[in-house]
Amino acid sequence: ATSTHNSITLTWTEVENAKKYNVYTNTEELVATVSATSYTIENLDANTGYCYKVSAVNGEYETDPSEVYCRITLEAPETRNIVFKLTDSYGDGWNGGSLTITYHGNKTETMTISSGSEYEQTIEIECNTEVRVVYTAGSYAYENSFTVSYDDGTIIYSGNYNSNTDKTFIVE
């Protein structure tokens, strides 16, 4: 078994003639039925012990469960709150412009100002994570600017329609 701060992956040896496998908690609660020889239990609490066992199934026949596999999830990683502040100098929104934030490789947030002069959003991101910020211009892009900072006010960088439109940084 392997673990992260919020998941445990169980892996076991294939059982001859098994069509599927039942994954149970050590208190006999069925967690999942799978056809593969591994399974990841997600959305677990950090730094917490969990125990599981597995049985093989072929039709109506189910083997006795395996020995109990116990694992402790890892400590939760340190995080920082990153503040994204968008501004429109005219006060009529970004007119189709947007700021796209990508982190953890595949999580994406897209922000804009629909109307008015300001929008602010805070995202909690793990330290040592690469974050990419891409500004896409709409109409009247010269009215647009943005600031990326830590929640303590330390500015990571700022940009507008013609500077820092595609920037990557590491959360410290």
Side-chain angles (χ1 to χ4, degrees):
T2 60
S3 63
T4 68
H5 70 279
N6 64 358
S7 70
I8 293 176
T9 300
L10 303 172
T11 304
W12 55 89
T13 305
E14 183 177 358
V15 174
E16 189 176 342
N17 297 320
K19 301 294 183 204
K20 57 187 174 178
Y21 300 90
N22 286 335
V23 178
Y24 294 96
T25 65
N26 64 326
T27 58
E28 309 296 328
E29 180 183 341
L30 180 64
V31 175
T33 300
V34 298
S35 57
T37 56
S38 68
Y39 181 71
T40 301
I41 302 102
E42 298 179 320
N43 300 315
L44 302 176
D45 293 330
N47 198 31
T48 304
Y50 294 91
C51 296
Y52 300 95
K53 50 191 171 183
V54 178
S55 66
V57 179
N58 185 345
E60 296 298 314
Y61 178 74
E62 181 174 6
T63 65
D64 289 335
S66 66
E67 62 183 79
V68 175
Y69 300 98
C70 293
R71 191 76 179 182
I72 298 173
T73 50
L74 303 176
E75 292 281 341
E78 186 179 345
T79 61
R80 294 285 301 266
N81 287 322
I82 309 300
V83 180
F84 301 88
K85 185 174 183 180
L86 287 55
T87 305
D88 182 82
S89 63
Y90 190 75
D92 63 345
W94 270 19
N95 302 300
S98 63
L99 199 64
T100 302
I101 294 85
T102 305
Y103 57 103
H104 294 298
N106 62 355
K107 290 187 179 179
T108 301
E109 302 269 347
T110 301
M111 304 170 192
T112 191
I113 302 175
S114 299
S115 64
S117 60
E118 289 187 354
Y119 174 81
E120 186 174 297
Q121 183 173 340
T122 301
I123 303 175
E124 183 179 18
I125 302 176
E126 293 173 11
C127 292
N128 300 315
T129 298
E130 183 177 273
V131 178
R132 181 176 181 207
V133 179
V134 178
Y135 169 76
T136 303
S139 301
Y140 308 104
Y142 57 87
E143 299 173 358
N144 303 165
S145 62
F146 59 91
T147 302
V148 181
S149 62
Y150 293 109
D151 61 356
D152 66 4
T154 303
I155 294 176
I156 299 168
Y157 79 97
S158 57
N160 58 34
Y161 71 98
N162 68 359
S163 71
N164 287 329
T165 59
D166 187 340
K167 179 113 171 141
T168 301
F169 66 94
I170 303 291
V171 176
E172 298 176 351

